[in-house]
Coordinates of all heavy atoms in Angstrom, one line a residue:
M766 N 113.0 163.1 94.1 CA 113.1 162.0 93.2 C 111.7 161.7 92.7 O 110.7 161.7 93.4 CB 113.5 160.8 94.1 CG 113.6 159.5 93.3 SD 114.9 159.5 92.1 CE 115.9 158.2 92.7
P767 N 111.5 161.6 91.4 CA 110.2 161.4 90.8 C 109.7 160.0 91.1 O 110.5 159.1 91.4 CB 110.4 161.5 89.3 CG 111.9 161.5 89.1 CD 112.6 161.7 90.4
G768 N 108.4 159.9 91.2 CA 107.8 158.5 91.4 C 106.5 158.6 92.1 O 105.9 159.7 92.4
L769 N 106.0 157.4 92.4 CA 104.7 157.3 93.1 C 105.0 156.9 94.6 O 105.7 155.9 94.8 CB 103.9 156.2 92.4 CG 102.4 156.0 92.9 CD1 101.6 157.3 92.8 CD2 101.8 154.9 92.2
Y770 N 104.4 157.6 95.5 CA 104.6 157.4 96.9 C 103.3 157.1 97.6 O 102.3 157.7 97.3 CB 105.2 158.7 97.6 CG 106.6 159.0 97.1 CD1 106.8 159.7 95.9 CD2 107.7 158.7 97.9 CE1 108.1 160.0 95.4 CE2 109.0 159.0 97.4 CZ 109.1 159.6 96.2 OH 110.4 159.9 95.8
A771 N 103.3 156.2 98.6 CA 102.2 156.0 99.5 C 102.0 157.2 100.3 O 102.9 157.7 101.0 CB 102.4 154.7 100.3
L772 N 100.8 157.8 100.3 CA 100.6 159.1 100.9 C 100.8 159.1 102.4 O 101.4 160.0 103.0 CB 99.2 159.6 100.6 CG 98.8 161.0 101.0 CD1 99.8 162.0 100.4 CD2 97.4 161.3 100.5
L773 N 100.3 158.1 103.1 CA 100.4 158.0 104.6 C 101.8 157.8 105.1 O 102.2 158.4 106.1 CB 99.4 157.0 105.2 CG 97.9 157.4 105.0 CD1 97.1 156.3 105.5 CD2 97.6 158.7 105.6
S774 N 102.5 156.9 104.4 CA 103.9 156.5 104.9 C 105.0 157.1 104.2 O 106.2 157.1 104.6 CB 104.0 155.0 104.8 OG 104.0 154.6 103.5
W775 N 104.8 157.7 103.0 CA 105.8 158.2 102.1 C 106.7 157.2 101.6 O 107.9 157.5 101.2 CB 106.5 159.4 102.6 CG 105.6 160.7 102.6 CD1 104.9 161.2 103.6 CD2 105.3 161.5 101.4 NE1 104.2 162.3 103.2 CE2 104.4 162.5 101.8 CE3 105.8 161.4 100.1 CZ2 104.0 163.4 101.0 CZ3 105.3 162.4 99.2 CH2 104.4 163.4 99.7
D776 N 106.3 155.9 101.6 CA 107.1 154.8 101.1 C 107.0 154.9 99.6 O 105.9 155.2 99.0 CB 106.6 153.4 101.5 CG 106.8 153.2 103.0 OD1 107.8 153.7 103.5 OD2 106.0 152.4 103.5
V777 N 108.1 154.7 98.9 CA 108.1 154.7 97.4 C 107.4 153.4 96.9 O 107.8 152.3 97.4 CB 109.5 154.7 96.8 CG1 109.5 154.6 95.3 CG2 110.2 156.0 97.3
L778 N 106.5 153.5 96.0 CA 105.8 152.3 95.4 C 106.7 151.8 94.3 O 107.2 152.6 93.5 CB 104.4 152.6 95.0 CG 103.5 153.0 96.1 CD1 102.1 153.4 95.6 CD2 103.3 151.9 97.1
P779 N 107.0 150.5 94.2 CA 107.9 150.0 93.2 C 107.4 150.2 91.8 O 106.2 149.9 91.5 CB 108.0 148.5 93.5 CG 107.4 148.3 94.9 CD 106.5 149.5 95.1
L780 N 108.3 150.6 90.9 CA 108.0 150.8 89.5 C 108.2 149.4 88.8 O 109.3 148.8 88.9 CB 109.0 151.8 88.9 CG 108.8 152.1 87.4 CD1 107.4 152.7 87.1 CD2 109.9 153.0 86.9
K781 N 107.2 148.9 88.2 CA 107.2 147.5 87.6 C 107.7 147.6 86.2 O 108.6 146.8 85.8 CB 105.8 146.9 87.6 CG 105.7 145.5 87.1 CD 104.3 145.0 87.2 CE 104.2 143.7 86.5 NZ 102.8 143.2 86.6
S782 N 107.3 148.6 85.4 CA 107.7 148.7 84.1 C 107.5 150.2 83.6 O 106.7 150.9 84.2 CB 107.0 147.8 83.1 OG 105.6 148.2 83.1
S783 N 108.3 150.6 82.6 CA 108.1 151.9 82.0 C 108.5 151.9 80.6 O 109.3 151.2 80.1 CB 109.0 152.9 82.8 OG 110.4 152.6 82.6
T784 N 107.8 152.8 79.8 CA 108.1 153.1 78.4 C 107.9 154.6 78.3 O 107.0 155.2 78.7 CB 107.0 152.4 77.5 OG1 107.0 151.0 77.8 CG2 107.3 152.7 76.1
V785 N 109.0 155.2 77.7 CA 109.0 156.7 77.5 C 109.2 157.0 76.1 O 110.1 156.5 75.5 CB 110.0 157.3 78.4 CG1 110.1 158.8 78.2 CG2 109.8 157.0 79.9
K786 N 108.4 157.9 75.5 CA 108.6 158.4 74.2 C 108.7 160.0 74.3 O 107.9 160.6 75.0 CB 107.4 158.1 73.3 CG 107.3 156.6 73.0 CD 106.1 156.3 72.1 CE 106.0 154.8 71.9 NZ 104.8 154.5 71.1
A787 N 109.6 160.5 73.5 CA 109.8 162.0 73.5 C 109.8 162.5 72.1 O 110.3 161.9 71.2 CB 111.0 162.4 74.3
C788 N 109.3 163.8 71.9 CA 109.3 164.5 70.6 C 109.7 165.9 70.9 O 109.0 166.6 71.6 CB 108.0 164.3 70.0 SG 107.9 165.2 68.4
A789 N 110.8 166.4 70.3 CA 111.2 167.7 70.4 C 110.8 168.6 69.2 O 110.9 168.1 68.1 CB 112.7 167.8 70.6
N790 N 110.4 169.8 69.4 CA 110.1 170.7 68.3 C 110.4 172.1 68.8 O 109.7 172.8 69.5 CB 108.6 170.6 68.0 CG 108.2 171.5 66.8 OD1 109.0 172.1 66.2 ND2 106.9 171.5 66.5
G791 N 111.6 172.6 68.4 CA 112.1 173.9 68.8 C 112.3 173.9 70.3 O 113.0 173.0 70.8
Y792 N 111.7 174.8 71.1 CA 111.8 174.9 72.5 C 110.8 174.0 73.2 O 110.8 173.9 74.5 CB 111.7 176.3 73.0 CG 112.8 177.2 72.6 CD1 112.6 178.1 71.6 CD2 114.0 177.1 73.2 CE1 113.6 179.0 71.2 CE2 115.0 178.0 72.8 CZ 114.8 178.9 71.8 OH 115.8 179.7 71.4
S793 N 110.0 173.3 72.5 CA 109.0 172.5 73.1 C 109.4 171.0 73.1 O 109.9 170.5 72.1 CB 107.7 172.7 72.3 OG 106.7 171.8 72.8
L794 N 109.0 170.3 74.2 CA 109.3 168.9 74.3 C 108.0 168.2 74.8 O 107.4 168.6 75.8 CB 110.5 168.6 75.3 CG 110.8 167.2 75.6 CD1 111.3 166.4 74.3 CD2 111.8 167.1 76.7
S795 N 107.6 167.2 74.1 CA 106.5 166.4 74.5 C 107.0 165.0 74.9 O 107.7 164.4 74.2 CB 105.5 166.2 73.3 OG 104.5 165.3 73.6
I796 N 106.5 164.6 76.1 CA 106.9 163.3 76.7 C 105.7 162.5 77.0 O 104.8 163.0 77.6 CB 107.8 163.5 77.9 CG1 109.1 164.2 77.6 CG2 108.1 162.1 78.6 CD1 109.9 164.5 78.8
T797 N 105.7 161.3 76.5 CA 104.6 160.3 76.9 C 105.3 159.2 77.7 O 106.2 158.6 77.1 CB 103.9 159.8 75.7 OG1 103.3 160.9 75.0 CG2 102.8 158.9 76.1
A798 N 104.9 159.0 78.9 CA 105.5 157.9 79.7 C 104.4 157.0 80.2 O 103.3 157.5 80.7 CB 106.2 158.5 80.9
H799 N 104.6 155.7 80.0 CA 103.7 154.7 80.5 C 104.4 154.1 81.7 O 105.4 153.4 81.5 CB 103.3 153.7 79.5 CG 102.5 154.2 78.4 ND1 101.1 154.3 78.4 CD2 102.8 154.8 77.2 CE1 100.6 154.8 77.3 NE2 101.7 155.2 76.6
L800 N 104.0 154.3 82.9 CA 104.6 153.9 84.1 C 103.7 152.9 84.8 O 102.5 153.3 85.1 CB 105.0 155.0 85.0 CG 105.8 156.2 84.4 CD1 105.9 157.3 85.3 CD2 107.2 155.7 83.9
T801 N 104.1 151.7 85.2 CA 103.3 150.8 85.9 C 103.9 150.5 87.2 O 105.1 150.1 87.3 CB 103.2 149.5 85.1 OG1 102.7 149.7 83.8 CG2 102.3 148.5 85.8
Y802 N 103.2 150.9 88.3 CA 103.6 150.7 89.7 C 102.9 149.5 90.3 O 101.8 149.1 89.9 CB 103.4 151.9 90.5 CG 104.2 153.1 90.1 CD1 103.8 154.0 89.1 CD2 105.5 153.3 90.7 CE1 104.6 155.1 88.7 CE2 106.2 154.4 90.3 CZ 105.8 155.3 89.3 OH 106.6 156.3 88.9
T803 N 103.6 148.9 91.3 CA 102.9 147.8 92.0 C 102.6 148.2 93.5 O 103.4 149.1 94.0 CB 103.8 146.5 92.0 OG1 105.0 146.8 92.6 CG2 103.9 146.0 90.6
N804 N 101.6 147.7 94.1 CA 101.3 148.0 95.4 C 101.7 146.7 96.3 O 101.1 145.7 96.2 CB 99.8 148.2 95.6 CG 99.4 148.5 97.0 OD1 100.2 148.6 97.9 ND2 98.1 148.6 97.3
P805 N 102.8 146.9 97.1 CA 103.3 145.7 97.8 C 102.4 145.4 99.1 O 102.6 144.5 99.8 CB 104.7 146.1 98.2 CG 104.7 147.6 98.3 CD 103.7 148.0 97.2
H806 N 101.5 146.3 99.4 CA 100.7 146.2 100.6 C 99.4 145.3 100.3 O 99.0 145.2 99.1 CB 100.2 147.6 101.1 CG 101.4 148.5 101.3 ND1 102.2 148.4 102.3 CD2 101.8 149.6 100.5 CE1 103.1 149.4 102.2 NE2 102.9 150.1 101.1
K807 N 98.9 144.7 101.3 CA 97.7 143.9 101.1 C 96.4 144.7 100.9 O 95.5 144.3 100.3 CB 97.5 143.0 102.3 CG 98.6 142.0 102.5 CD 98.4 141.1 103.6 CE 99.6 140.1 103.7 NZ 99.5 139.2 104.8
E808 N 96.4 145.9 101.5 CA 95.2 146.8 101.3 C 95.5 147.9 100.3 O 96.7 148.2 100.0 CB 94.9 147.4 102.7 CG 95.9 148.4 103.2 CD 97.1 147.7 103.9 OE1 97.0 146.5 104.3 OE2 98.1 148.4 104.1
P809 N 94.4 148.4 99.7 CA 94.6 149.5 98.7 C 95.4 150.7 99.4 O 95.3 150.9 100.6 CB 93.2 150.0 98.4 CG 92.4 148.8 98.7 CD 93.0 148.1 99.9
V810 N 96.1 151.4 98.6 CA 96.9 152.5 99.2 C 96.6 153.8 98.4 O 96.4 153.7 97.2 CB 98.4 152.2 99.2 CG1 98.9 152.0 97.8 CG2 99.2 153.3 99.9
E811 N 96.5 154.9 99.0 CA 96.4 156.2 98.4 C 97.8 156.7 98.1 O 98.6 156.7 98.9 CB 95.6 157.2 99.3 CG 95.3 158.5 98.6 CD 94.5 159.4 99.4 OE1 94.2 159.1 100.6 OE2 94.1 160.5 98.9
G812 N 98.0 157.1 96.8 CA 99.3 157.5 96.4 C 99.4 159.0 95.9 O 98.3 159.6 95.6
I813 N 100.6 159.5 95.9 CA 100.8 160.8 95.3 C 102.0 160.7 94.3 O 103.0 160.0 94.7 CB 101.1 161.8 96.4 CG1 101.2 163.2 95.8 CG2 102.3 161.5 97.2 CD1 101.2 164.3 96.8
F814 N 101.8 161.2 93.1 CA 102.8 161.1 92.1 C 103.6 162.4 92.1 O 103.1 163.5 92.1 CB 102.2 161.0 90.7 CG 103.3 160.8 89.6 CD1 104.0 159.6 89.5 CD2 103.5 161.8 88.8 CE1 104.9 159.5 88.5 CE2 104.5 161.7 87.8 CZ 105.2 160.5 87.6
I815 N 105.0 162.3 92.2 CA 105.8 163.5 92.3 C 106.7 163.5 91.1 O 107.4 162.5 90.8 CB 106.6 163.5 93.6 CG1 105.7 163.6 94.8 CG2 107.6 164.6 93.6 CD1 106.3 163.6 96.2
Y816 N 106.7 164.7 90.4 CA 107.7 164.9 89.3 C 108.2 166.3 89.4 O 107.5 167.2 89.0 CB 106.9 164.7 88.0 CG 107.9 164.7 86.8 CD1 108.5 163.5 86.4 CD2 108.2 165.8 86.1 CE1 109.4 163.5 85.3 CE2 109.1 165.8 85.1 CZ 109.7 164.7 84.7 OH 110.6 164.7 83.7
P817 N 109.4 166.4 90.0 CA 109.9 167.8 90.2 C 110.3 168.4 88.9 O 110.8 167.8 88.0 CB 111.1 167.6 91.1 CG 111.5 166.1 91.0 CD 110.2 165.4 90.5
L818 N 110.1 169.7 88.8 CA 110.4 170.5 87.6 C 111.4 171.6 87.9 O 111.5 172.1 89.1 CB 109.2 171.2 87.1 CG 108.0 170.3 86.6 CD1 106.8 171.2 86.3 CD2 108.4 169.5 85.4
E819 N 112.3 171.9 87.0 CA 113.2 173.0 87.1 C 112.3 174.3 87.0 O 111.2 174.3 86.5 CB 114.2 173.0 86.0 CG 115.2 171.8 86.1 CD 116.1 171.8 87.3 OE1 116.4 172.9 87.7 OE2 116.4 170.7 87.8
E820 N 112.9 175.4 87.4 CA 112.1 176.7 87.4 C 111.6 177.1 86.1 O 110.6 177.6 85.9 CB 113.0 177.8 88.0 CG 112.3 179.0 88.3 CD 113.1 180.0 89.1 OE1 113.9 179.6 89.9 OE2 112.9 181.2 88.8
S821 N 112.4 176.7 85.0 CA 112.0 177.2 83.6 C 111.1 176.1 82.9 O 110.6 176.4 81.8 CB 113.2 177.4 82.8 OG 114.0 176.2 82.7
E822 N 110.8 175.0 83.6 CA 110.0 174.0 82.9 C 108.5 174.2 83.2 O 108.1 174.7 84.3 CB 110.4 172.6 83.4 CG 111.8 172.2 83.0 CD 112.3 170.9 83.6 OE1 111.9 170.5 84.7 OE2 113.0 170.2 82.9
V823 N 107.7 173.8 82.3 CA 106.2 173.9 82.4 C 105.5 172.7 82.0 O 105.9 172.0 81.0 CB 105.7 175.1 81.5 CG1 104.2 175.2 81.5 CG2 106.4 176.4 81.9
V824 N 104.5 172.3 82.7 CA 103.7 171.1 82.3 C 102.4 171.7 81.7 O 101.7 172.5 82.4 CB 103.4 170.2 83.5 CG1 102.4 169.1 83.1 CG2 104.7 169.6 84.0
A825 N 102.0 171.3 80.5 CA 100.8 171.8 79.9 C 99.6 170.8 80.1 O 98.5 171.3 80.0 CB 101.0 172.0 78.4
G826 N 99.9 169.6 80.3 CA 98.8 168.6 80.5 C 99.3 167.3 81.1 O 100.5 167.0 81.0
F827 N 98.4 166.6 81.7 CA 98.8 165.4 82.4 C 97.6 164.5 82.5 O 96.5 164.9 82.8 CB 99.3 165.7 83.9 CG 99.7 164.6 84.7 CD1 101.0 164.1 84.6 CD2 98.9 163.9 85.5 CE1 101.4 163.0 85.3 CE2 99.3 162.8 86.3 CZ 100.6 162.4 86.2
E828 N 97.9 163.2 82.2 CA 96.8 162.2 82.3 C 97.3 161.0 83.0 O 98.4 160.5 82.8 CB 96.3 161.8 80.9 CG 95.2 160.8 80.9 CD 94.6 160.4 79.6 OE1 93.8 161.2 79.1 OE2 95.1 159.4 79.0
A829 N 96.5 160.4 84.0 CA 96.9 159.2 84.7 C 95.8 158.3 84.6 O 94.6 158.6 84.7 CB 97.2 159.6 86.1
A830 N 96.1 157.0 84.5 CA 95.1 155.9 84.6 C 95.4 155.0 85.8 O 96.5 154.6 86.0 CB 95.2 155.1 83.3
V831 N 94.4 154.8 86.6 CA 94.5 153.9 87.8 C 93.3 152.9 87.6 O 92.2 153.3 87.8 CB 94.3 154.8 89.1 CG1 94.4 153.8 90.3 CG2 95.4 155.8 89.1
G832 N 93.7 151.7 87.3 CA 92.7 150.7 87.1 C 91.9 151.1 85.8 O 92.5 151.4 84.8
S833 N 90.6 151.2 86.0 CA 89.8 151.6 84.8 C 89.5 153.1 84.9 O 88.8 153.6 84.0 CB 88.5 150.8 84.8 OG 87.7 151.1 86.0
R834 N 90.0 153.8 85.9 CA 89.8 155.3 86.0 C 90.9 156.1 85.3 O 92.0 155.8 85.4 CB 89.8 155.7 87.5 CG 88.5 156.0 88.1 CD 88.6 156.3 89.5 NE 89.1 157.6 89.8 CZ 89.4 158.1 90.9 NH1 89.4 157.3 92.0 NH2 89.9 159.3 91.0
R835 N 90.4 157.1 84.7 CA 91.4 158.1 84.0 C 91.2 159.5 84.6 O 90.1 159.9 84.8 CB 91.1 158.2 82.5 CG 91.7 157.0 81.7 CD 91.6 157.4 80.3 NE 92.6 156.9 79.3 CZ 93.6 156.1 79.4 NH1 93.9 155.6 80.6 NH2 94.4 155.8 78.5
V836 N 92.3 160.1 84.9 CA 92.3 161.5 85.5 C 93.1 162.3 84.5 O 94.3 162.0 84.2 CB 92.9 161.5 86.9 CG1 92.9 162.9 87.4 CG2 92.2 160.6 87.8
T837 N 92.5 163.4 84.0 CA 93.2 164.3 83.1 C 93.3 165.7 83.7 O 92.3 166.2 84.2 CB 92.5 164.3 81.7 OG1 92.4 163.0 81.2 CG2 93.2 165.2 80.7
F838 N 94.4 166.3 83.5 CA 94.6 167.7 83.9 C 95.0 168.5 82.7 O 95.8 168.1 81.9 CB 95.7 167.8 85.0 CG 95.4 167.0 86.2 CD1 95.9 165.7 86.4 CD2 94.7 167.6 87.2 CE1 95.6 165.0 87.5 CE2 94.5 166.9 88.4 CZ 94.9 165.6 88.5
Q839 N 94.5 169.7 82.6 CA 95.0 170.7 81.6 C 95.4 171.9 82.4 O 94.6 172.5 83.2 CB 93.9 171.0 80.6 CG 93.5 169.9 79.7 CD 92.5 170.2 78.8 OE1 91.8 171.2 78.9 NE2 92.3 169.4 77.8
L840 N 96.6 172.3 82.3 CA 97.2 173.4 83.0 C 97.2 174.7 82.2 O 97.4 174.7 81.0 CB 98.5 173.1 83.6 CG 98.5 171.9 84.5 CD1 99.5 170.9 84.1 CD2 98.6 172.3 85.9
Q841 N 97.1 175.8 82.9 CA 97.2 177.1 82.2 C 98.4 177.8 82.7 O 99.0 177.4 83.8 CB 95.9 178.0 82.6 CG 94.7 177.3 82.1 CD 93.5 178.1 82.7 OE1 93.6 179.0 83.5 NE2 92.3 177.8 82.2
N842 N 98.8 178.9 82.1 CA 99.9 179.7 82.6 C 99.5 180.3 84.0 O 98.3 180.4 84.3 CB 100.4 180.7 81.6 CG 99.5 181.9 81.5 OD1 99.0 182.4 82.4 ND2 99.3 182.3 80.2
R843 N 100.5 180.6 84.8 CA 100.2 181.0 86.1 C 99.4 182.2 86.2 O 98.4 182.3 87.0 CB 101.6 181.3 86.8 CG 101.4 181.7 88.3 CD 102.7 181.9 88.9 NE 103.4 180.6 88.9 CZ 104.5 180.3 89.5 NH1 105.2 181.3 90.1 NH2 105.0 179.1 89.5
H844 N 99.6 183.3 85.4 CA 98.8 184.5 85.5 C 97.3 184.2 85.1 O 96.4 184.7 85.8 CB 99.4 185.6 84.6 CG 100.8 186.0 85.0 ND1 101.0 186.6 86.2 CD2 102.0 185.8 84.4 CE1 102.3 186.8 86.3 NE2 102.9 186.3 85.2
R845 N 97.1 183.5 84.1 CA 95.7 183.2 83.7 C 95.0 182.4 84.7 O 93.8 182.6 85.1 CB 95.7 182.5 82.3 CG 94.3 182.2 81.8 CD 94.2 181.7 80.4 NE 92.9 181.4 80.1 CZ 92.5 180.6 79.1 NH1 93.4 180.0 78.4 NH2 91.3 180.4 78.9
A846 N 95.7 181.4 85.3 CA 95.1 180.6 86.4 C 94.8 181.5 87.6 O 93.7 181.3 88.2 CB 96.0 179.4 86.7
Q847 N 95.7 182.4 88.0 CA 95.4 183.2 89.1 C 94.3 184.2 88.9 O 93.4 184.4 89.8 CB 96.7 184.0 89.4 CG 97.8 183.2 90.1 CD 99.1 184.0 90.3 OE1 99.3 185.0 89.6 NE2 99.9 183.5 91.1
D848 N 94.2 184.7 87.7 CA 93.0 185.6 87.3 C 91.7 184.8 87.4 O 90.7 185.3 87.9 CB 93.2 186.2 85.9 CG 94.3 187.2 85.8 OD1 94.8 187.7 86.9 OD2 94.8 187.5 84.7
C849 N 91.7 183.6 86.9 CA 90.5 182.8 86.9 C 90.1 182.5 88.3 O 89.0 182.6 88.7 CB 90.8 181.5 86.1 SG 89.4 180.4 86.1
C850 N 91.1 182.0 89.1 CA 90.8 181.6 90.5 C 90.3 182.8 91.4 O 89.5 182.6 92.3 CB 92.0 181.0 91.2 SG 92.3 179.4 90.4
L851 N 90.7 184.0 91.1 CA 90.2 185.1 91.8 C 88.7 185.3 91.5 O 87.9 185.9 92.4 CB 90.9 186.4 91.4 CG 92.4 186.5 91.9 CD1 93.0 187.8 91.3 CD2 92.4 186.5 93.4
Q852 N 88.2 184.9 90.4 CA 86.8 185.0 90.1 C 85.9 183.8 90.6 O 84.7 183.9 90.6 CB 86.6 185.1 88.5 CG 87.3 186.3 87.9 CD 87.3 186.2 86.4 OE1 86.7 185.3 85.8 NE2 88.1 187.1 85.8
C853 N 86.6 182.8 91.1 CA 85.8 181.6 91.6 C 85.2 182.0 92.9 O 85.7 182.7 93.8 CB 86.8 180.5 91.8 SG 87.5 179.8 90.3
S854 N 84.0 181.4 93.1 CA 83.4 181.6 94.4 C 83.3 180.3 95.1 O 82.8 179.3 94.6 CB 81.9 182.1 94.2 OG 81.2 181.3 93.4
P855 N 83.9 180.2 96.3 CA 84.0 178.9 97.0 C 82.6 178.5 97.4 O 81.8 179.3 97.9 CB 84.9 179.2 98.2 CG 84.8 180.6 98.4 CD 84.5 181.3 97.1
S856 N 82.3 177.2 97.3 CA 81.1 176.6 97.7 C 81.4 175.5 98.8 O 82.3 174.7 98.5 CB 80.3 175.9 96.6 OG 80.0 176.8 95.5
P857 N 80.7 175.6 99.9 CA 81.1 174.6 101.0 C 81.0 173.1 100.4 O 80.0 172.8 99.8 CB 80.0 174.9 102.1 CG 79.5 176.2 101.8 CD 79.7 176.4 100.3
G858 N 82.0 172.3 100.7 CA 82.0 170.9 100.3 C 82.2 170.7 98.8 O 82.1 169.6 98.4
R859 N 82.5 171.7 98.1 CA 82.7 171.5 96.6 C 84.1 172.0 96.2 O 84.6 173.0 96.8 CB 81.6 172.2 95.8 CG 80.3 171.7 96.0 CD 79.3 172.4 95.1 NE 78.4 171.4 94.6 CZ 77.6 171.6 93.6 NH1 77.7 172.7 92.9 NH2 76.8 170.7 93.2
L860 N 84.6 171.4 95.2 CA 85.9 171.9 94.7 C 85.6 173.2 93.9 O 84.5 173.4 93.4 CB 86.5 170.9 93.7 CG 86.9 169.6 94.3 CD1 87.3 168.6 93.2 CD2 88.0 169.8 95.3
R861 N 86.6 174.1 93.9 CA 86.5 175.3 93.2 C 86.6 175.0 91.7 O 87.5 174.3 91.3 CB 87.5 176.3 93.6 CG 87.3 176.8 95.0 CD 88.3 177.9 95.3 NE 88.1 178.3 96.7 CZ 88.5 179.4 97.2 NH1 89.3 180.2 96.4 NH2 88.2 179.8 98.4
R862 N 85.7 175.6 90.9 CA 85.8 175.4 89.4 C 85.6 176.7 88.8 O 84.6 177.4 89.1 CB 84.7 174.4 89.0 CG 84.7 174.3 87.5 CD 83.8 173.1 87.1 NE 84.6 172.1 86.6 CZ 84.2 170.9 86.3 NH1 83.0 170.6 86.5 NH2 85.1 170.1 85.7
C863 N 86.5 177.0 87.9 CA 86.4 178.3 87.2 C 85.5 178.2 86.0 O 85.5 177.2 85.3 CB 87.8 178.7 86.7 SG 89.0 179.0 88.0
A864 N 84.7 179.2 85.8 CA 83.8 179.3 84.6 C 84.5 179.4 83.3 O 84.1 178.9 82.3 CB 82.8 180.4 84.8
G865 N 85.7 180.1 83.4 CA 86.5 180.3 82.2 C 87.3 179.1 81.9 O 88.1 179.0 81.0

């Protein structure tokens, strides 16, 4: 089930409001969703967003806003990402980052 979950308890965080826009172009579909969740807990909660995909579906980019923070992801096809990650050198205490 898609949605935002509290990481420690796996409780579903309530969806307060949503707006979804979609644009189809041939085999391509672009979806923009503004989802607002509420935290029913008194303390801040770490969450994980789950959006299951079918085997033939691909996500090319994702952006999330939490408060004043924005997190953006740009995804590559699996083969290019695997090639890139093989060239990464792990550094202790640091995330792996590809030069390409």
Side-chain angles (χ1 to χ4, degrees):
M766 178 70 116
L769 187 60
Y770 293 79
L772 189 57
L773 294 178
S774 65
W775 284 99
D776 292 333
V777 177
L778 297 175
L780 180 63
K781 181 178 177 181
S782 66
S783 65
T784 304
V785 178
K786 294 180 183 179
C788 178
N790 185 4
Y792 291 105
S793 177
L794 175 66
S795 173
I796 297 175
T797 302
H799 294 271
L800 309 171
T801 304
Y802 291 89
T803 57
N804 179 5
H806 307 287
K807 293 181 181 177
E808 65 280 345
V810 65
E811 185 175 4
I813 184 167
F814 183 75
I815 296 179
Y816 189 87
L818 298 174
E819 294 293 328
E820 191 172 322
S821 62
E822 295 175 327
V823 176
V824 174
F827 180 85
E828 181 178 277
V831 179
S833 61
R834 253 179 76 192
R835 279 191 150 4
V836 179
T837 303
F838 299 92
Q839 293 179 345
L840 298 132
Q841 300 173 350
N842 72 46
R843 181 176 298 184
H844 297 294
R845 184 169 174 204
Q847 286 173 341
D848 291 344
C849 178
C850 289
L851 290 174
Q852 298 170 10
C853 293
S854 58
S856 302
R859 295 185 143 195
L860 295 175
R861 291 183 180 199
R862 175 171 248 170
C863 297

